[in-house]
Amino acid sequence: MTTPLRPAPEQSREARRAFLAGRLAAVRERIAEAARAAGRDHTGITLITVTKTWPAEDVRLLAGLGVRDLGENQDQQASAKAAACAGLAPALSWHFIGQLQSNKAPSVARYADMVHSVDRASLVSALGKAAERAGRAERAGRELRCLIQVSLDGTAGRGGAHPDEVPRLAALIAGRPGLTVAGVMAVAPPQEPAGQAFARLGPVRERLLGEHPGAVVMSAGMSGDLEAAIAAGATHVRVGSAILGHRPPAPLPH
């Protein structure tokens, strides 16, 4: 008997927790099996659970199941959930994974540990200024880890820098106090096999590592193509619906 993709609205908190636990275990097993198939150690692969449109209560349930890395693609929801879950221990690590407008950088820099979608010089500048301000406000060094989003097909409007632009963006990030070059991110284009697309990301990452040895992160793969991403060398996968179910209309965090 298969678990329904989305729990019924009347389910209790306990039933929702059981739903999440079962699907989380299944995704973790998929990651482990994909790592075995690729001759890799699954402990070197970070699962980012993407909670966009789901409430802060789901974040709390996931935290109780051992989830520490959370992904969001809209600042309004992410900032509210980060504030609502700020008291959890151990602390959560927030990943901003969506296309980011420069005017949202000050907000994102206050709660995000990693931004996966840095793809232009103006955004580097905005994040750098915001990270410096956030660091001063906290009276401590604030390091915002940045992934350069790479376009694998050059389609306008989908986000991502051309592979040839990656060295320049990395140099800009490295030159900003408060920012760290952490690696690369990509989304597989819908019109070609994911494995074929992700194979083009590996060489971009290798070139980046030559100049920035700490840029070890390769963020690639989602619910439908995480196996292909792991085979291509992904260190971080971003999974939402395979864990939380089909997304409901966007709720307010609570």
PDB file of all heavy atoms in Angstrom, residues 45-64:
ATOM      1  N   ILE A  45      26.819  13.644   1.175  1.00  0.00           N
ATOM      2  CA  ILE A  45      25.742  14.294   0.414  1.00  0.00           C
ATOM      3  C   ILE A  45      24.750  14.900   1.401  1.00  0.00           C
ATOM      4  O   ILE A  45      24.201  14.204   2.259  1.00  0.00           O
ATOM      5  CB  ILE A  45      25.037  13.292  -0.508  1.00  0.00           C
ATOM      6  CG1 ILE A  45      26.046  12.698  -1.500  1.00  0.00           C
ATOM      7  CG2 ILE A  45      23.881  13.969  -1.253  1.00  0.00           C
ATOM      8  CD1 ILE A  45      25.533  11.491  -2.247  1.00  0.00           C
ATOM      9  N   THR A  46      24.525  16.190   1.290  1.00  0.00           N
ATOM     10  CA  THR A  46      23.613  16.906   2.184  1.00  0.00           C
ATOM     11  C   THR A  46      22.230  16.998   1.566  1.00  0.00           C
ATOM     12  O   THR A  46      22.080  17.452   0.421  1.00  0.00           O
ATOM     13  CB  THR A  46      24.139  18.329   2.465  1.00  0.00           C
ATOM     14  OG1 THR A  46      25.398  18.241   3.133  1.00  0.00           O
ATOM     15  CG2 THR A  46      23.161  19.111   3.347  1.00  0.00           C
ATOM     16  N   LEU A  47      21.227  16.563   2.311  1.00  0.00           N
ATOM     17  CA  LEU A  47      19.836  16.697   1.885  1.00  0.00           C
ATOM     18  C   LEU A  47      19.287  18.021   2.392  1.00  0.00           C
ATOM     19  O   LEU A  47      19.258  18.260   3.605  1.00  0.00           O
ATOM     20  CB  LEU A  47      18.999  15.536   2.433  1.00  0.00           C
ATOM     21  CG  LEU A  47      17.478  15.668   2.285  1.00  0.00           C
ATOM     22  CD1 LEU A  47      17.065  15.761   0.822  1.00  0.00           C
ATOM     23  CD2 LEU A  47      16.781  14.494   2.981  1.00  0.00           C
ATOM     24  N   ILE A  48      18.871  18.875   1.465  1.00  0.00           N
ATOM     25  CA  ILE A  48      18.195  20.120   1.810  1.00  0.00           C
ATOM     26  C   ILE A  48      16.701  19.897   1.597  1.00  0.00           C
ATOM     27  O   ILE A  48      16.259  19.630   0.482  1.00  0.00           O
ATOM     28  CB  ILE A  48      18.682  21.292   0.940  1.00  0.00           C
ATOM     29  CG1 ILE A  48      20.189  21.510   1.125  1.00  0.00           C
ATOM     30  CG2 ILE A  48      17.913  22.571   1.269  1.00  0.00           C
ATOM     31  CD1 ILE A  48      20.787  22.450   0.102  1.00  0.00           C
ATOM     32  N   THR A  49      15.930  19.965   2.670  1.00  0.00           N
ATOM     33  CA  THR A  49      14.487  19.762   2.575  1.00  0.00           C
ATOM     34  C   THR A  49      13.824  21.096   2.258  1.00  0.00           C
ATOM     35  O   THR A  49      13.929  22.053   3.031  1.00  0.00           O
ATOM     36  CB  THR A  49      13.929  19.187   3.882  1.00  0.00           C
ATOM     37  OG1 THR A  49      14.625  17.961   4.177  1.00  0.00           O
ATOM     38  CG2 THR A  49      12.446  18.895   3.757  1.00  0.00           C
ATOM     39  N   VAL A  50      13.163  21.147   1.115  1.00  0.00           N
ATOM     40  CA  VAL A  50      12.586  22.403   0.616  1.00  0.00           C
ATOM     41  C   VAL A  50      11.153  22.525   1.119  1.00  0.00           C
ATOM     42  O   VAL A  50      10.277  21.745   0.740  1.00  0.00           O
ATOM     43  CB  VAL A  50      12.641  22.449  -0.923  1.00  0.00           C
ATOM     44  CG1 VAL A  50      12.035  23.754  -1.439  1.00  0.00           C
ATOM     45  CG2 VAL A  50      14.083  22.306  -1.404  1.00  0.00           C
ATOM     46  N   THR A  51      10.921  23.512   1.973  1.00  0.00           N
ATOM     47  CA  THR A  51       9.626  23.649   2.648  1.00  0.00           C
ATOM     48  C   THR A  51       8.789  24.794   2.090  1.00  0.00           C
ATOM     49  O   THR A  51       7.829  25.224   2.742  1.00  0.00           O
ATOM     50  CB  THR A  51       9.837  23.856   4.162  1.00  0.00           C
ATOM     51  OG1 THR A  51      10.694  24.986   4.376  1.00  0.00           O
ATOM     52  CG2 THR A  51      10.463  22.626   4.792  1.00  0.00           C
ATOM     53  N   LYS A  52       9.107  25.267   0.911  1.00  0.00           N
ATOM     54  CA  LYS A  52       8.351  26.409   0.366  1.00  0.00           C
ATOM     55  C   LYS A  52       6.861  26.070   0.270  1.00  0.00           C
ATOM     56  O   LYS A  52       6.487  24.967  -0.119  1.00  0.00           O
ATOM     57  CB  LYS A  52       8.897  26.816  -1.000  1.00  0.00           C
ATOM     58  CG  LYS A  52       8.874  25.746  -2.070  1.00  0.00           C
ATOM     59  CD  LYS A  52       9.563  26.261  -3.330  1.00  0.00           C
ATOM     60  CE  LYS A  52       9.534  25.213  -4.441  1.00  0.00           C
ATOM     61  NZ  LYS A  52      10.228  25.684  -5.662  1.00  0.00           N
ATOM     62  N   THR A  53       6.044  27.012   0.668  1.00  0.00           N
ATOM     63  CA  THR A  53       4.575  26.988   0.759  1.00  0.00           C
ATOM     64  C   THR A  53       4.052  26.176   1.935  1.00  0.00           C
ATOM     65  O   THR A  53       2.865  26.237   2.233  1.00  0.00           O
ATOM     66  CB  THR A  53       3.873  26.492  -0.528  1.00  0.00           C
ATOM     67  OG1 THR A  53       3.952  25.073  -0.613  1.00  0.00           O
ATOM     68  CG2 THR A  53       4.437  27.135  -1.776  1.00  0.00           C
ATOM     69  N   TRP A  54       4.900  25.439   2.631  1.00  0.00           N
ATOM     70  CA  TRP A  54       4.447  24.678   3.795  1.00  0.00           C
ATOM     71  C   TRP A  54       4.708  25.485   5.063  1.00  0.00           C
ATOM     72  O   TRP A  54       5.631  26.290   5.127  1.00  0.00           O
ATOM     73  CB  TRP A  54       5.154  23.329   3.856  1.00  0.00           C
ATOM     74  CG  TRP A  54       4.775  22.422   2.724  1.00  0.00           C
ATOM     75  CD1 TRP A  54       5.464  22.219   1.565  1.00  0.00           C
ATOM     76  CD2 TRP A  54       3.595  21.625   2.613  1.00  0.00           C
ATOM     77  NE1 TRP A  54       4.798  21.337   0.752  1.00  0.00           N
ATOM     78  CE2 TRP A  54       3.638  20.954   1.373  1.00  0.00           C
ATOM     79  CE3 TRP A  54       2.501  21.408   3.465  1.00  0.00           C
ATOM     80  CZ2 TRP A  54       2.635  20.084   0.944  1.00  0.00           C
ATOM     81  CZ3 TRP A  54       1.499  20.533   3.032  1.00  0.00           C
ATOM     82  CH2 TRP A  54       1.567  19.885   1.797  1.00  0.00           C
ATOM     83  N   PRO A  55       3.915  25.272   6.111  1.00  0.00           N
ATOM     84  CA  PRO A  55       3.995  26.122   7.305  1.00  0.00           C
ATOM     85  C   PRO A  55       5.186  25.817   8.198  1.00  0.00           C
ATOM     86  O   PRO A  55       5.841  24.772   8.087  1.00  0.00           O
ATOM     87  CB  PRO A  55       2.685  25.823   8.033  1.00  0.00           C
ATOM     88  CG  PRO A  55       2.357  24.424   7.633  1.00  0.00           C
ATOM     89  CD  PRO A  55       2.798  24.304   6.195  1.00  0.00           C
ATOM     90  N   ALA A  56       5.437  26.729   9.112  1.00  0.00           N
ATOM     91  CA  ALA A  56       6.538  26.565  10.066  1.00  0.00           C
ATOM     92  C   ALA A  56       6.340  25.326  10.939  1.00  0.00           C
ATOM     93  O   ALA A  56       7.319  24.731  11.404  1.00  0.00           O
ATOM     94  CB  ALA A  56       6.664  27.810  10.938  1.00  0.00           C
ATOM     95  N   GLU A  57       5.110  24.916  11.145  1.00  0.00           N
ATOM     96  CA  GLU A  57       4.870  23.709  11.936  1.00  0.00           C
ATOM     97  C   GLU A  57       5.527  22.493  11.279  1.00  0.00           C
ATOM     98  O   GLU A  57       6.054  21.615  11.970  1.00  0.00           O
ATOM     99  CB  GLU A  57       3.373  23.473  12.113  1.00  0.00           C
ATOM    100  CG  GLU A  57       3.017  22.192  12.871  1.00  0.00           C
ATOM    101  CD  GLU A  57       3.595  22.122  14.276  1.00  0.00           C
ATOM    102  OE1 GLU A  57       3.977  23.172  14.846  1.00  0.00           O
ATOM    103  OE2 GLU A  57       3.673  21.002  14.812  1.00  0.00           O
ATOM    104  N   ASP A  58       5.513  22.431   9.940  1.00  0.00           N
ATOM    105  CA  ASP A  58       6.191  21.329   9.256  1.00  0.00           C
ATOM    106  C   ASP A  58       7.703  21.403   9.484  1.00  0.00           C
ATOM    107  O   ASP A  58       8.366  20.372   9.600  1.00  0.00           O
ATOM    108  CB  ASP A  58       5.886  21.358   7.766  1.00  0.00           C
ATOM    109  CG  ASP A  58       4.587  20.642   7.415  1.00  0.00           C
ATOM    110  OD1 ASP A  58       4.005  19.993   8.300  1.00  0.00           O
ATOM    111  OD2 ASP A  58       4.156  20.736   6.246  1.00  0.00           O
ATOM    112  N   VAL A  59       8.237  22.618   9.527  1.00  0.00           N
ATOM    113  CA  VAL A  59       9.668  22.774   9.813  1.00  0.00           C
ATOM    114  C   VAL A  59       9.982  22.206  11.196  1.00  0.00           C
ATOM    115  O   VAL A  59      10.974  21.493  11.383  1.00  0.00           O
ATOM    116  CB  VAL A  59      10.091  24.253   9.716  1.00  0.00           C
ATOM    117  CG1 VAL A  59      11.544  24.425  10.164  1.00  0.00           C
ATOM    118  CG2 VAL A  59       9.898  24.773   8.303  1.00  0.00           C
ATOM    119  N   ARG A  60       9.128  22.512  12.167  1.00  0.00           N
ATOM    120  CA  ARG A  60       9.353  22.000  13.516  1.00  0.00           C
ATOM    121  C   ARG A  60       9.275  20.473  13.561  1.00  0.00           C
ATOM    122  O   ARG A  60      10.072  19.802  14.238  1.00  0.00           O
ATOM    123  CB  ARG A  60       8.359  22.633  14.488  1.00  0.00           C
ATOM    124  CG  ARG A  60       8.667  24.110  14.778  1.00  0.00           C
ATOM    125  CD  ARG A  60       7.773  24.660  15.865  1.00  0.00           C
ATOM    126  NE  ARG A  60       6.479  25.051  15.361  1.00  0.00           N
ATOM    127  CZ  ARG A  60       6.154  26.275  14.946  1.00  0.00           C
ATOM    128  NH1 ARG A  60       7.065  27.238  14.976  1.00  0.00           N
ATOM    129  NH2 ARG A  60       4.943  26.549  14.511  1.00  0.00           N
ATOM    130  N   LEU A  61       8.325  19.910  12.825  1.00  0.00           N
ATOM    131  CA  LEU A  61       8.217  18.452  12.769  1.00  0.00           C
ATOM    132  C   LEU A  61       9.457  17.841  12.110  1.00  0.00           C
ATOM    133  O   LEU A  61      10.000  16.833  12.587  1.00  0.00           O
ATOM    134  CB  LEU A  61       6.961  18.041  11.995  1.00  0.00           C
ATOM    135  CG  LEU A  61       5.621  18.312  12.685  1.00  0.00           C
ATOM    136  CD1 LEU A  61       4.472  18.047  11.721  1.00  0.00           C
ATOM    137  CD2 LEU A  61       5.474  17.454  13.936  1.00  0.00           C
ATOM    138  N   LEU A  62       9.906  18.437  11.026  1.00  0.00           N
ATOM    139  CA  LEU A  62      11.097  17.942  10.328  1.00  0.00           C
ATOM    140  C   LEU A  62      12.331  18.044  11.217  1.00  0.00           C
ATOM    141  O   LEU A  62      13.178  17.140  11.234  1.00  0.00           O
ATOM    142  CB  LEU A  62      11.306  18.724   9.037  1.00  0.00           C
ATOM    143  CG  LEU A  62      10.301  18.425   7.917  1.00  0.00           C
ATOM    144  CD1 LEU A  62      10.329  19.519   6.864  1.00  0.00           C
ATOM    145  CD2 LEU A  62      10.577  17.071   7.286  1.00  0.00           C
ATOM    146  N   ALA A  63      12.435  19.136  11.959  1.00  0.00           N
ATOM    147  CA  ALA A  63      13.569  19.285  12.873  1.00  0.00           C
ATOM    148  C   ALA A  63      13.579  18.160  13.903  1.00  0.00           C
ATOM    149  O   ALA A  63      14.639  17.634  14.262  1.00  0.00           O
ATOM    150  CB  ALA A  63      13.523  20.650  13.560  1.00  0.00           C
ATOM    151  N   GLY A  64      12.402  17.769  14.361  1.00  0.00           N
ATOM    152  CA  GLY A  64      12.306  16.673  15.300  1.00  0.00           C
ATOM    153  C   GLY A  64      12.688  15.332  14.700  1.00  0.00           C
ATOM    154  O   GLY A  64      13.007  14.381  15.422  1.00  0.00           O
TER     155      GLY A  64
END
